[in-house]
Amino acid sequence: MESVRKYLSLVLSFVIFQTTVFAIDSDAMKEGKKAFSKKAYGEAIKKFTKHADSHPQDGEAYMYLGYIYEYKKDYPKSIQNFRRAADLDLDKDQRKTVLLKLALFFNYHQDWNLSATYASRYLKYDPKNEEVQKIYNRAVGNKGNPSSSTHIYTQHTKIEPKHQEPKNTENKKDQVKKTDESIEDKDTTKPSESYEQILANQPHLEDVRWDYVLALFEEKKYEKAESNLNILIEKNPTRSRYHYKMGIIKLRLDDPKSAIDSFEKAKKNPFSKDTNVFLYYVFLNEGIAYQKLAEIEKAELSFQEAFRQVQKDTPLLALARLYEQKSEWEKCIQSSDKALSYNPNQIESHMFRFVCMFEAGNKTKKFETSFAKYSEFIKMKFPDLSQTPEKFQVGFLKLARKYTENNAFDIAESYFSVLEKDQTISTGREYIFYRGRNYFYSGKVDLAIPYLQKTNGSSAAHYLLARCFAKKNDITKTKEQFQLAADLKPEYWTSASLEKDFKEVWKDNSFREFLNTKGGKVPGTNLSTPGSNQ
């Protein structure tokens, strides 16, 4: 191995400081090399990037960028650029150097598939190199048991939690918060088309096809990604990351049952290092798949297993969401609390704690804290409430109710207005009653009446309607609604004398007699004037 390092050092010097006949020396490239020789790496990066943009098939700029990031000890970007360079136009010496670097790197990190791939490609140029032949033989012998240390040199692509399925709403199942789906996908800017010509000439290049799959996934070309990933799986059926990625693709294709099958295959041969991290992501996404299938108990077990693998807030948030959907308020509160202990500023955790504490009637200091965090976040991030992502709208109805309680009627109405477009919520009893209540207390009696009239069988709704009609001095309807309210809740017979809303109708003898006899059902008693002390 020492001989390889010495050889690499010599070749590296030759490649950097010798101009090749194949190089495309644009002005940007010339300026980049000049800045590189002076170790002005910031300027060199700009120039090489500019050259790469205008000469997409030239690998030399990416090679130099690989060297720069290596000197800066930014190894993820270094390897990313060397891999790009290896797939583009380079002269023989440059290509050998880049391939050797990649073979050594992946050998060190025990990614046997990529180590074997780059060593094999190198040996086409220098088949007698014994050190590289050893690397190749070792990699082939270990193929199918890759290390998860890949995440050291690739950049993660995060999902967006979607977190996000409101209760029992089929058309909102995609609201499940997107998890951090991949532990090894790189954040590449190369379009999928850039890999197609390479694969057309060299279809056996496994690492190139893998990058092609990742690029297709980023571009949301899921069917094409699936077909190419099937080729990789057929070639290497034991490789866990292929099955894992297939599971993610199946989720995107709304095929959760097939996704679960892929996740199960990924679990059979997990990465040999950092196995817990790998399984964490598998279980997390498996839970989402079960949730889409409405297999709630299995989803719960998967999320719990994800948390056992790695203690992070994401699976706890997923559990909180699950418990909110099941109306298990205390479990939701506990999961939200625990999630916030890991990530105190996670807004969705505050949202679910606020919602579930509201439902449970548990309005403690934690409730007020979560209300403040959640409401302030919405106010700052989404001045136009209609532009709020659906995942943050789970608590909008409770926010509207809370603002009504705080006498912030206009703010409450803005939340009700957004929810009006959601038929599942806006036709629900809770929405109808509390929007009517908000209109009533904000003095908009005529707007309140139609909503309250739709809330049949509610003593509170009938009593508010009685107060509405009393304000309008409609004695007949006041009596009618008052009778309905008192039949459900008899204590209203004694509360009427305290309500100022009944001040005008109280002047009518028939209304006083109606209250005095409880609608003609009992002998009369003396009643005081509304608003007076008793």
Side-chain angles (χ1 to χ4, degrees):
M1 186 58 71
E2 184 61 30
S3 62
V4 173
R5 292 194 183 95
K6 290 180 179 177
Y7 172 76
L8 181 58
S9 179
L10 289 172
V11 176
L12 174 59
S13 299
F14 175 81
V15 171
I16 292 179
F17 296 109
Q18 296 298 319
T19 303
T20 72
V21 295
F22 297 100
I24 303 173
D25 277 340
S26 66
D27 290 340
M29 176 62 82
K30 292 176 182 177
E31 293 170 5
K33 289 179 179 179
K34 187 181 296 184
F36 180 87
S37 66
K38 296 178 180 179
K39 297 185 179 182
Y41 295 139
E43 180 65 19
I45 288 172
K46 292 179 183 178
K47 298 302 180 182
F48 288 134
T49 301
K50 183 178 179 180
H51 174 86
D53 290 341
S54 57
H55 299 83
Q57 290 303 311
D58 184 17
E60 189 177 20
Y62 290 115
M63 179 189 71
Y64 275 99
L65 288 169
Y67 294 137
I68 291 172
Y69 287 117
E70 184 178 25
Y71 294 148
K72 292 167 71 70
K73 299 187 184 301
D74 189 339
Y75 299 114
K77 286 186 178 179
S78 175
I79 292 304
Q80 181 180 351
N81 280 284
F82 281 135
R83 292 185 73 182
R84 288 178 178 176
D87 294 336
L88 299 173
D89 295 336
L90 291 172
D91 71 24
K92 181 180 177 180
D93 290 320
Q94 290 173 332
R95 189 174 299 281
K96 283 175 62 179
T97 303
V98 169
L99 292 173
L100 183 55
K101 273 184 168 291
L102 291 169
L104 286 167
F105 181 87
F106 291 120
N107 174 70
Y108 176 79
H109 287 289
Q110 298 182 23
D111 188 326
W112 309 123
N113 287 277
L114 291 179
S115 178
T117 296
Y118 287 115
S120 175
R121 290 173 66 180
Y122 177 90
L123 289 169
K124 290 179 182 179
Y125 296 95
D126 187 4
K128 296 182 180 180
N129 190 304
E130 294 181 3
E131 292 294 334
V132 178
Q133 186 65 55
K134 289 179 183 178
I135 290 173
Y136 176 76
N137 293 340
R138 183 188 183 208
V140 170
N142 285 284
K143 259 191 169 187
N145 186 30
S147 166
S148 67
S149 58
T150 333
H151 70 281
I152 295 172
Y153 57 81
T154 57
Q155 296 184 1
H156 303 180
T157 303
K158 290 189 176 180
I159 6 194
E160 285 262 291
K162 211 238 317 99
H163 278 38
Q164 317 181 17
E165 278 185 26
K167 305 181 201 178
N168 305 319
T169 309
E170 184 66 23
N171 63 345
K172 293 184 182 176
K173 284 190 175 181
D174 284 339
Q175 269 196 319
V176 178
K177 181 180 180 295
K178 288 184 180 178
T179 60
D180 189 352
E181 348 178 282
S182 177
I183 58 174
E184 55 187 349
D185 296 359
K186 64 184 179 182
D187 184 12
T188 178
T189 57
K190 288 181 69 174
S192 60
E193 290 80 2
S194 64
Y195 299 103
E196 291 173 355
Q197 186 175 354
I198 301 170
L199 289 171
N201 297 324
Q202 302 180 77
H204 62 283
L205 295 179
E206 187 176 349
D207 60 311
V208 176
R209 192 173 297 278
W210 173 242
D211 288 344
Y212 182 43
V213 168
L214 299 183
L216 290 170
F217 183 85
E218 285 185 4
E219 295 166 10
K220 300 183 179 180
K221 299 175 182 177
Y222 301 127
E223 291 84 358
K224 206 168 183 178
E226 179 186 12
S227 62
N228 277 273
L229 190 50
N230 276 324
I231 295 172
L232 292 173
I233 290 173
E234 184 177 355
K235 185 176 180 180
N236 195 341
T238 61
R239 192 157 199 193
S240 52
R241 72 172 179 180
Y242 291 164
H243 291 296
Y244 171 75
K245 193 64 178 182
M246 180 63 81
I248 300 298
I249 290 172
K250 290 294 187 181
L251 277 178
R252 290 290 182 273
L253 292 172
D254 199 25
D255 186 1
K257 188 174 181 180
S258 295
I260 291 169
D261 290 339
S262 292
F263 293 138
E264 287 300 318
K265 291 175 183 176
K267 285 189 283 186
K268 289 179 181 178
N269 186 38
F271 288 142
S272 59
K273 292 184 179 179
D274 292 335
T275 302
N276 296 104
V277 175
F278 176 73
L279 290 176
Y280 165 83
Y281 291 105
V282 174
F283 280 114
L284 201 56
N285 286 282
E286 184 181 65
I288 291 174
Y290 278 125
Q291 198 166 2
K292 284 177 172 286
L293 291 170
E295 296 187 34
I296 303 302
E297 300 304 322
K298 290 182 179 179
E300 181 179 3
L301 290 173
S302 292
F303 291 138
Q304 290 172 342
E305 188 59 42
F307 182 74
R308 275 192 284 271
Q309 300 297 326
V310 178
Q311 282 68 58
K312 291 179 65 176
D313 64 299
T314 304
L316 295 170
L317 174 57
L319 284 167
R321 180 179 304 104
L322 204 65
Y323 294 137
E324 188 270 340
Q325 293 168 17
K326 294 171 65 179
S327 299
E328 295 183 3
W329 312 128
E330 291 303 326
K331 283 187 175 181
C332 174
I333 294 167
Q334 290 170 11
S335 291
S336 301
D337 261 343
K338 198 167 184 179
L340 288 168
S341 71
Y342 287 92
N343 187 352
N345 295 314
Q346 220 294 336
I347 293 300
E348 287 179 85
S349 297
H350 279 295
M351 175 181 73
F352 282 112
R353 188 170 74 175
F354 164 70
V355 169
C356 292
M357 293 185 90
F358 203 124
E359 291 283 9
N362 189 5
K363 298 183 179 181
T364 62
K365 185 177 180 180
K366 287 182 178 179
F367 169 80
E368 294 296 339
T369 298
S370 285
F371 165 68
K373 289 272 189 181
Y374 176 37
S375 59
E376 186 62 24
F377 172 81
I378 298 298
K379 179 181 177 181
M380 295 295 294
K381 295 290 185 180
F382 310 104
D384 180 357
L385 290 178
S386 65
Q387 299 302 310
T388 307
E390 215 168 352
K391 68 179 181 178
F392 293 119
Q393 294 186 22
V394 174
F396 270 21
L397 185 53
K398 297 301 186 290
L399 283 178
R401 289 180 57 179
K402 175 66 173 170
Y403 280 120
T404 299
E405 291 177 2
N406 292 352
N407 297 325
F409 304 118
D410 290 341
I411 298 177
E413 174 56 22
S414 66
Y415 282 95
F416 282 122
S417 296
V418 171
L419 295 174
E420 188 174 32
K421 299 173 184 177
D422 187 330
Q423 291 299 304
T424 303
I425 295 176
S426 62
T427 57
R429 184 182 181 88
E430 182 181 9
Y431 173 90
I432 293 171
F433 172 74
Y434 283 102
R435 191 171 192 185
R437 186 174 182 272
N438 187 65
Y439 277 137
F440 174 82
Y441 283 107
S442 63
K444 299 173 182 178
V445 173
D446 290 331
L447 292 175
I449 289 173
Y451 283 94
L452 296 171
Q453 286 176 328
K454 294 177 184 177
T455 316
N456 295 322
S458 167
S459 61
H462 288 305
Y463 189 66
L464 285 177
L465 281 169
R467 293 172 68 182
C468 286
F469 289 122
K471 284 174 174 286
K472 295 170 71 69
N473 204 25
D474 188 329
I475 295 175
T476 301
K477 289 185 177 180
T478 301
K479 290 180 181 179
E480 176 185 299
Q481 293 299 322
F482 200 104
Q483 182 74 61
L484 291 170
D487 286 346
L488 295 169
K489 190 175 180 180
E491 46 266 50
Y492 279 130
W493 290 115
T494 56
S495 64
S497 60
L498 301 176
E499 294 287 356
K500 294 181 180 180
D501 294 334
F502 297 106
K503 183 176 181 180
E504 289 303 315
V505 296
W506 190 268
K507 297 176 182 177
D508 185 269
N509 289 331
S510 67
F511 183 74
R512 290 201 303 275
E513 182 65 18
F514 167 77
L515 290 181
N516 195 23
T517 62
K518 296 185 178 180
K521 295 180 181 179
V522 298
T525 56
N526 292 325
L527 295 174
S528 61
T529 303
S532 65
N533 294 322
Q534 289 187 306

